[in-house]
Amino acid sequence: LYVTEIIPRERHPLIFGTFDGLLSGECFIIVNDHDPKPLYYQFLHEREGHFSWEYLEQGPDRWRVKITKL
């Protein structure tokens, strides 16, 4: 998901909807223009123990994060 192309208020609902539609072991990658650390903390709060978070690229202009459903 290229989240920079999504209206900001729609980003997190779309990301969580995508995540919730995954089967265990499936993943997706988000691409952003800044570190999505707030999203990580939201995942910790709302989906603790049900996801893994792996940085594939960390700036300075692009971040890519692989989110896997456990």
Side-chain angles (χ1 to χ4, degrees):
L1 293 175
Y2 288 86
V3 296
T4 56
E5 300 172 358
I6 300 167
I7 297 169
R9 70 176 180 270
E10 296 176 359
R11 289 178 187 170
H12 286 204
L14 175 64
I15 292 167
F16 277 92
T18 300
F19 177 82
D20 291 340
L22 297 177
L23 299 174
S24 181
E26 292 183 327
C27 65
F28 67 104
I29 296 171
I30 60 167
V31 180
N32 205 354
D33 59 1
H34 63 276
D35 189 351
K37 204 58 133 170
L39 178 65
Y40 172 75
Y41 290 121
Q42 187 176 357
F43 262 92
L44 277 180
H45 178 72
E46 297 183 17
R47 305 292 191 281
E48 184 176 4
H50 297 282
F51 75 99
S52 69
W53 179 278
E54 178 186 353
Y55 282 102
L56 302 175
E57 187 174 350
Q58 292 182 274
D61 299 317
R62 184 168 84 161
W63 277 257
R64 293 182 333 133
V65 178
K66 178 180 173 183
I67 302 172
T68 304
K69 190 170 193 176
L70 302 178

XYZ file of all heavy atoms in Angstrom:
601
model
N 0.840 -1.174 0.000
C 0.000 0.000 0.000
C 0.883 1.234 0.000
O 1.715 1.391 0.891
C -0.879 0.047 1.255
C -1.956 -1.003 1.440
C -2.611 -0.844 2.811
C -2.990 -0.888 0.363
N 0.703 2.107 -0.952
C 1.403 3.381 -0.981
C 0.544 4.386 -0.224
O -0.346 5.019 -0.793
C 1.641 3.832 -2.421
C 2.691 3.013 -3.112
C 2.358 1.819 -3.745
C 4.019 3.414 -3.095
C 3.337 1.046 -4.357
C 4.999 2.648 -3.711
C 4.644 1.472 -4.341
O 5.617 0.706 -4.935
N 0.788 4.499 1.065
C -0.097 5.297 1.913
C 0.046 6.789 1.688
O -0.849 7.552 2.054
C 0.051 4.945 3.407
C -0.368 3.515 3.659
C 1.452 5.191 3.901
N 1.137 7.235 1.064
C 1.276 8.656 0.769
C 0.219 9.122 -0.230
O -0.068 10.301 -0.310
C 2.678 8.977 0.225
O 2.925 8.174 -0.915
C 3.735 8.708 1.272
N -0.352 8.194 -0.982
C -1.357 8.530 -1.983
C -2.780 8.478 -1.425
O -3.738 8.701 -2.150
C -1.237 7.575 -3.171
C 0.123 7.640 -3.844
C 0.331 6.567 -4.902
O -0.572 5.739 -5.106
O 1.400 6.573 -5.516
N -2.916 8.179 -0.138
C -4.222 8.034 0.502
C -4.476 9.245 1.397
O -3.563 9.720 2.082
C -4.266 6.732 1.330
C -4.013 5.530 0.420
C -5.596 6.583 2.049
C -3.717 4.251 1.165
N -5.704 9.729 1.408
C -6.078 10.843 2.274
C -5.723 10.460 3.716
O -6.076 9.365 4.169
C -7.590 11.140 2.139
C -7.907 11.574 0.712
C -8.030 12.201 3.140
C -9.394 11.627 0.409
N -5.023 11.362 4.439
C -4.531 11.016 5.782
C -5.566 10.390 6.715
O -5.272 9.396 7.384
C -4.023 12.352 6.320
C -3.548 13.067 5.102
C -4.557 12.687 4.028
N -6.767 10.909 6.771
C -7.757 10.361 7.714
C -8.226 8.962 7.329
O -8.835 8.263 8.134
C -8.940 11.316 7.863
C -9.823 11.401 6.652
C -11.044 12.290 6.911
N -11.884 12.364 5.745
C -11.763 13.270 4.786
N -10.842 14.203 4.867
N -12.578 13.264 3.742
N -7.956 8.549 6.092
C -8.374 7.226 5.626
C -7.260 6.180 5.714
O -7.508 4.996 5.513
C -8.867 7.319 4.179
C -10.112 8.177 4.031
C -10.550 8.344 2.584
O -9.882 7.807 1.668
O -11.560 9.034 2.371
N -6.042 6.620 6.022
C -4.890 5.705 5.990
C -4.997 4.576 7.010
O -4.919 3.404 6.649
C -3.592 6.474 6.224
C -3.201 7.340 5.078
C -1.949 8.118 5.356
N -1.714 9.058 4.272
C -0.804 10.003 4.309
N -0.029 10.138 5.377
N -0.659 10.813 3.291
N -5.134 4.917 8.283
C -5.134 3.873 9.318
C -6.321 2.929 9.176
O -6.135 1.712 9.272
C -5.049 4.496 10.710
C -3.695 5.033 11.026
N -3.238 5.187 12.314
C -2.672 5.448 10.228
C -2.015 5.677 12.292
N -1.661 5.858 11.035
N -7.545 3.432 8.914
C -8.650 2.482 8.702
C -8.389 1.531 7.531
O -8.695 0.339 7.626
C -9.853 3.381 8.426
C -9.536 4.663 9.139
C -8.040 4.820 8.968
N -7.800 2.034 6.453
C -7.490 1.171 5.306
C -6.435 0.141 5.674
O -6.557 -1.043 5.338
C -7.009 2.004 4.116
C -6.550 1.192 2.903
C -7.705 0.398 2.313
C -5.938 2.099 1.862
N -5.402 0.571 6.382
C -4.335 -0.353 6.783
C -4.872 -1.435 7.710
O -4.599 -2.623 7.528
C -3.175 0.428 7.429
C -2.482 1.290 6.368
C -2.186 -0.522 8.095
C -1.535 2.334 6.927
N -5.677 -1.047 8.696
C -6.226 -2.046 9.617
C -7.230 -2.954 8.914
O -7.303 -4.147 9.210
C -6.841 -1.372 10.848
C -5.823 -1.039 11.894
C -5.207 0.195 11.910
C -5.441 -1.974 12.838
C -4.246 0.506 12.857
C -4.476 -1.684 13.793
C -3.873 -0.439 13.799
N -7.999 -2.414 7.987
C -8.925 -3.247 7.213
C -8.176 -4.261 6.368
O -8.579 -5.428 6.270
N -7.077 -3.828 5.766
C -6.249 -4.747 4.980
C -5.676 -5.831 5.879
O -5.727 -7.025 5.547
C -5.108 -3.972 4.284
O -5.686 -2.979 3.426
C -4.222 -4.908 3.472
N -5.151 -5.431 7.028
C -4.592 -6.389 7.970
C -5.642 -7.391 8.432
O -5.395 -8.602 8.461
C -4.001 -5.654 9.184
C -3.477 -6.582 10.239
C -2.220 -7.146 10.120
C -4.235 -6.900 11.343
C -1.732 -8.019 11.091
C -3.765 -7.761 12.318
C -2.503 -8.325 12.188
N -6.815 -6.907 8.789
C -7.877 -7.790 9.296
C -8.343 -8.793 8.247
O -8.831 -9.864 8.591
C -9.053 -6.969 9.814
C -8.711 -6.202 11.086
O -7.733 -6.572 11.779
O -9.422 -5.221 11.383
N -8.172 -8.465 6.975
C -8.562 -9.375 5.903
C -7.529 -10.453 5.601
O -7.798 -11.358 4.811
N -6.366 -10.376 6.219
C -5.317 -11.376 5.988
C -5.596 -12.661 6.758
O -6.217 -12.637 7.817
C -3.960 -10.840 6.450
C -3.383 -9.626 5.757
C -2.074 -9.214 6.427
C -3.162 -9.878 4.282
N -5.092 -13.748 6.234
C -5.056 -15.007 6.963
C -3.748 -15.057 7.740
O -2.786 -14.361 7.404
C -5.133 -16.190 5.990
C -6.392 -16.277 5.131
C -6.254 -17.413 4.125
C -7.617 -16.451 6.000
N -3.698 -15.889 8.745
C -2.483 -16.050 9.531
C -1.315 -16.407 8.614
O -1.431 -17.279 7.750
C -2.683 -17.144 10.575
O -1.531 -17.293 11.349
N -0.201 -15.704 8.755
C 0.980 -15.934 7.937
C 1.070 -15.039 6.721
O 2.131 -14.936 6.102
N -0.023 -14.381 6.351
C -0.002 -13.472 5.214
C 0.516 -12.110 5.654
O 0.467 -11.760 6.835
C -1.389 -13.331 4.593
C -1.882 -14.591 3.918
C -3.222 -14.417 3.241
O -4.073 -13.631 3.730
O -3.434 -15.086 2.217
N 0.987 -11.341 4.672
C 1.546 -10.036 4.994
C 1.248 -9.042 3.880
O 0.773 -9.406 2.808
C 3.050 -10.147 5.193
S 3.943 -10.620 3.702
N 1.535 -7.790 4.154
C 1.516 -6.744 3.148
C 2.588 -5.729 3.521
O 3.119 -5.742 4.625
C 0.130 -6.108 2.995
C -0.346 -5.323 4.196
C -0.319 -3.935 4.194
C -0.846 -5.971 5.321
C -0.773 -3.219 5.287
C -1.302 -5.261 6.418
C -1.266 -3.866 6.397
N 2.905 -4.852 2.577
C 3.940 -3.848 2.783
C 3.314 -2.472 2.628
O 2.566 -2.229 1.669
C 5.095 -4.034 1.779
C 5.779 -5.377 2.030
C 6.091 -2.880 1.862
C 6.785 -5.766 0.971
N 3.632 -1.597 3.574
C 3.219 -0.208 3.420
C 4.443 0.607 3.024
O 5.568 0.317 3.442
C 2.549 0.370 4.679
C 3.482 0.346 5.886
C 1.251 -0.337 4.989
C 2.988 1.178 7.052
N 4.213 1.622 2.204
C 5.255 2.541 1.763
C 4.813 3.930 2.174
O 3.687 4.343 1.876
C 5.469 2.462 0.237
C 6.557 3.426 -0.202
C 5.781 1.042 -0.197
N 5.699 4.653 2.866
C 5.345 5.960 3.392
C 6.517 6.916 3.219
O 7.648 6.487 3.018
C 4.977 5.829 4.882
C 4.058 6.922 5.354
O 3.753 7.861 4.631
N 3.611 6.814 6.584
N 6.238 8.221 3.349
C 7.285 9.230 3.217
C 7.864 9.653 4.568
O 8.680 10.561 4.639
C 6.778 10.442 2.445
C 5.585 11.116 3.100
O 5.140 10.668 4.186
O 5.077 12.093 2.520
N 7.427 9.000 5.644
C 7.967 9.246 6.985
C 7.846 7.958 7.794
O 7.125 7.038 7.412
C 7.232 10.404 7.691
C 5.785 10.133 7.929
N 4.808 10.360 6.970
C 5.131 9.627 9.009
C 3.631 10.012 7.450
N 3.801 9.562 8.688
N 8.526 7.911 8.905
C 8.495 6.723 9.762
C 7.080 6.540 10.323
O 6.562 7.428 10.997
C 9.497 6.894 10.903
C 9.693 5.634 11.728
O 8.945 4.653 11.557
O 10.618 5.648 12.564
N 6.439 5.404 10.057
C 5.066 5.183 10.530
C 5.007 4.692 11.980
O 4.206 3.823 12.322
C 4.522 4.145 9.548
C 5.727 3.356 9.162
C 6.869 4.335 9.153
N 5.846 5.231 12.846
C 5.905 4.808 14.243
C 4.561 4.944 14.956
O 4.191 4.054 15.724
C 6.987 5.612 14.964
C 7.529 4.933 16.181
C 8.101 3.588 15.857
C 9.435 3.358 16.477
N 9.892 1.990 16.351
N 3.770 6.027 14.738
C 2.450 6.090 15.390
C 1.555 4.904 15.012
O 0.808 4.391 15.845
C 1.864 7.416 14.908
C 3.060 8.259 14.602
C 4.075 7.279 14.041
N 1.656 4.464 13.763
C 0.886 3.298 13.329
C 1.339 2.054 14.085
O 0.519 1.238 14.505
C 1.045 3.085 11.826
C 0.344 1.869 11.232
C -1.169 1.994 11.338
C 0.771 1.682 9.780
N 2.640 1.913 14.272
C 3.172 0.785 15.033
C 2.579 0.754 16.443
O 2.141 -0.292 16.916
C 4.697 0.866 15.100
C 5.305 -0.158 16.015
C 5.388 -1.498 15.634
C 5.793 0.203 17.266
C 5.949 -2.445 16.478
C 6.355 -0.739 18.110
C 6.423 -2.052 17.715
O 6.972 -2.998 18.548
N 2.541 1.902 17.102
C 1.996 1.954 18.454
C 0.493 1.671 18.471
O -0.017 1.050 19.409
C 2.303 3.301 19.113
C 3.763 3.449 19.432
C 4.510 4.487 18.910
C 4.422 2.513 20.243
C 5.864 4.609 19.192
C 5.769 2.624 20.526
C 6.479 3.674 20.002
O 7.820 3.788 20.280
N -0.203 2.074 17.420
C -1.620 1.738 17.326
C -1.798 0.233 17.161
O -2.691 -0.365 17.768
C -2.279 2.502 16.178
C -3.784 2.330 16.137
C -4.452 3.170 15.065
O -3.809 3.947 14.361
N -5.750 3.001 14.921
N -0.954 -0.389 16.350
C -0.998 -1.845 16.212
C -0.727 -2.515 17.561
O -1.401 -3.487 17.922
C 0.013 -2.347 15.171
C -0.578 -2.599 13.819
C -0.577 -1.610 12.851
C -1.144 -3.819 13.501
C -1.111 -1.822 11.596
C -1.698 -4.065 12.248
C -1.678 -3.053 11.290
N 0.260 -2.019 18.303
C 0.546 -2.586 19.624
C -0.670 -2.510 20.537
O -0.953 -3.443 21.291
C 1.708 -1.839 20.287
C 3.108 -2.254 19.918
C 4.121 -1.393 20.666
C 3.361 -3.720 20.193
N -1.377 -1.418 20.465
C -2.540 -1.216 21.323
C -3.741 -2.061 20.873
O -4.433 -2.655 21.697
C -2.923 0.269 21.338
C -4.126 0.576 22.142
N -4.132 0.536 23.529
C -5.380 0.914 21.773
C -5.339 0.840 23.962
N -6.114 1.077 22.915
N -3.981 -2.114 19.563
C -5.203 -2.738 19.055
C -5.041 -4.185 18.593
O -6.037 -4.911 18.504
C -5.770 -1.892 17.909
C -6.178 -0.509 18.355
C -6.812 0.319 17.261
O -7.233 -0.257 16.230
O -6.897 1.544 17.440
N -3.815 -4.607 18.267
C -3.599 -5.967 17.735
C -2.398 -6.638 18.397
O -1.706 -7.447 17.776
C -3.384 -5.943 16.220
C -4.472 -5.265 15.389
C -5.774 -6.014 15.398
N -6.724 -5.510 14.422
C -7.483 -4.421 14.556
N -7.375 -3.671 15.634
N -8.338 -4.068 13.615
N -2.158 -6.323 19.635
C -0.991 -6.847 20.340
C -0.931 -8.374 20.262
O -1.924 -9.059 20.488
C -1.010 -6.418 21.811
C 0.224 -6.842 22.561
C 0.250 -6.331 23.990
O -0.722 -5.710 24.436
O 1.253 -6.586 24.665
N 0.235 -8.892 19.898
C 0.432 -10.330 19.813
C -0.092 -10.968 18.540
O 0.011 -12.177 18.369
N -0.632 -10.140 17.629
C -1.229 -10.690 16.410
C -0.523 -10.241 15.140
O -0.997 -10.507 14.032
C -2.709 -10.306 16.325
C -3.529 -10.872 17.429
N -3.953 -12.179 17.447
C -3.965 -10.322 18.583
C -4.641 -12.407 18.559
N -4.654 -11.293 19.274
N 0.599 -9.531 15.283
C 1.288 -9.015 14.102
C 2.795 -9.000 14.336
O 3.269 -9.011 15.464
C 0.812 -7.592 13.771
C 1.363 -6.534 14.691
C 2.454 -5.769 14.311
C 0.814 -6.318 15.946
C 2.977 -4.796 15.154
C 1.326 -5.353 16.798
C 2.407 -4.590 16.400
N 3.525 -8.964 13.240
C 4.953 -8.653 13.303
C 5.191 -7.451 12.400
O 4.459 -7.220 11.425
C 5.825 -9.841 12.885
O 5.698 -10.104 11.510
N 6.207 -6.686 12.734
C 6.514 -5.419 12.068
C 7.981 -5.457 11.685
O 8.844 -5.590 12.535
C 6.240 -4.306 13.072
C 6.495 -2.904 12.644
C 7.696 -2.259 12.639
C 5.514 -1.952 12.235
N 7.520 -0.963 12.250
C 6.187 -0.744 11.988
C 4.136 -2.005 12.061
C 5.518 0.403 11.573
C 3.483 -0.874 11.642
C 4.169 0.313 11.402
N 8.266 -5.361 10.397
C 9.647 -5.433 9.931
C 9.943 -4.288 8.976
O 9.309 -4.157 7.921
C 9.880 -6.764 9.209
C 11.260 -6.919 8.642
C 11.424 -8.176 7.800
O 10.498 -9.013 7.753
O 12.492 -8.314 7.189
N 10.899 -3.444 9.359
C 11.336 -2.381 8.457
C 12.135 -2.998 7.319
O 13.090 -3.734 7.551
C 12.210 -1.372 9.187
C 11.451 -0.399 10.050
C 11.392 -0.562 11.423
C 10.794 0.689 9.489
C 10.705 0.337 12.228
C 10.098 1.594 10.274
C 10.062 1.415 11.643
O 9.374 2.307 12.427
N 11.754 -2.673 6.093
C 12.500 -3.097 4.918
C 13.355 -1.956 4.389
O 14.355 -2.181 3.716
C 11.541 -3.577 3.825
C 10.607 -4.719 4.215
C 9.640 -5.020 3.083
C 11.389 -5.954 4.602
N 12.919 -0.731 4.681
C 13.637 0.472 4.280
C 13.306 1.564 5.292
O 12.150 1.709 5.681
C 13.196 0.885 2.871
C 13.970 2.001 2.261
C 13.575 2.269 0.807
O 12.826 1.472 0.220
O 14.025 3.293 0.282
N 14.322 2.317 5.726
C 14.113 3.328 6.763
C 14.692 4.670 6.351
O 15.746 5.078 6.818
C 14.735 2.878 8.082
C 14.026 1.702 8.698
C 14.629 1.319 10.029
O 15.587 0.565 10.079
N 14.070 1.844 11.103
N 13.989 5.354 5.465
C 14.305 6.722 5.110
C 15.589 6.891 4.322
O 16.188 5.924 3.910
N 15.957 8.125 4.086
C 15.339 9.314 4.670
C 14.073 9.784 3.951
O 13.285 10.537 4.517
C 16.435 10.375 4.562
C 17.184 10.000 3.324
C 17.138 8.479 3.282
N 13.876 9.343 2.711
C 12.705 9.812 1.953
C 11.592 8.782 1.838
O 10.470 9.130 1.473
C 13.126 10.230 0.539
C 14.119 11.367 0.552
O 13.925 12.311 1.343
O 15.101 11.318 -0.223
N 11.910 7.536 2.112
C 10.909 6.474 1.961
C 11.105 5.426 3.044
O 12.233 5.037 3.344
C 11.050 5.828 0.579
C 9.993 4.777 0.304
C 9.972 4.386 -1.140
N 10.976 3.358 -1.394
C 10.969 2.567 -2.449
N 10.047 2.696 -3.364
N 11.903 1.661 -2.604
N 9.987 5.004 3.612
C 9.969 3.913 4.587
C 9.099 2.814 4.016
O 8.016 3.073 3.491
C 9.376 4.384 5.921
C 10.348 5.087 6.797
C 10.975 4.573 7.894
C 10.808 6.440 6.685
N 11.797 5.520 8.456
C 11.715 6.672 7.727
C 10.545 7.466 5.781
C 12.348 7.891 7.898
C 11.184 8.682 5.949
C 12.066 8.875 6.997
N 9.571 1.587 4.138
C 8.787 0.413 3.751
C 8.748 -0.508 4.946
O 9.785 -0.832 5.535
C 9.394 -0.301 2.549
C 9.333 0.511 1.274
C 9.886 -0.197 0.049
N 10.884 -1.184 0.390
C 10.910 -2.435 -0.090
N 10.023 -2.859 -0.932
N 11.855 -3.271 0.270
N 7.533 -0.935 5.295
C 7.335 -1.797 6.461
C 6.493 -3.002 6.050
O 5.442 -2.851 5.428
C 6.624 -1.038 7.610
C 6.378 -1.970 8.783
C 7.432 0.169 8.040
N 6.989 -4.173 6.405
C 6.256 -5.416 6.161
C 5.491 -5.753 7.435
O 6.084 -5.892 8.506
C 7.233 -6.538 5.815
C 6.583 -7.878 5.594
C 7.675 -8.888 5.266
C 7.142 -10.293 5.192
N 8.229 -11.256 4.940
N 4.174 -5.870 7.313
C 3.312 -6.211 8.449
C 2.730 -7.596 8.174
O 2.076 -7.806 7.149
C 2.187 -5.173 8.617
C 2.795 -3.775 8.815
C 1.285 -5.550 9.794
C 1.783 -2.655 8.794
N 2.981 -8.510 9.093
C 2.533 -9.889 8.938
C 1.516 -10.217 10.022
O 1.708 -9.858 11.187
C 3.732 -10.865 9.052
O 4.713 -10.507 8.090
C 3.298 -12.312 8.852
N 0.465 -10.910 9.640
C -0.528 -11.369 10.604
C -0.057 -12.703 11.181
O 0.252 -13.629 10.436
C -1.891 -11.533 9.946
C -3.016 -11.777 10.928
C -4.351 -11.669 10.213
C -5.491 -11.594 11.198
N -6.764 -11.389 10.500
N 0.022 -12.782 12.480
C 0.478 -14.009 13.141
C -0.671 -14.967 13.414
O -1.813 -14.604 13.407
C 1.175 -13.659 14.457
C 2.375 -12.720 14.324
C 2.937 -12.409 15.704
C 3.450 -13.308 13.428
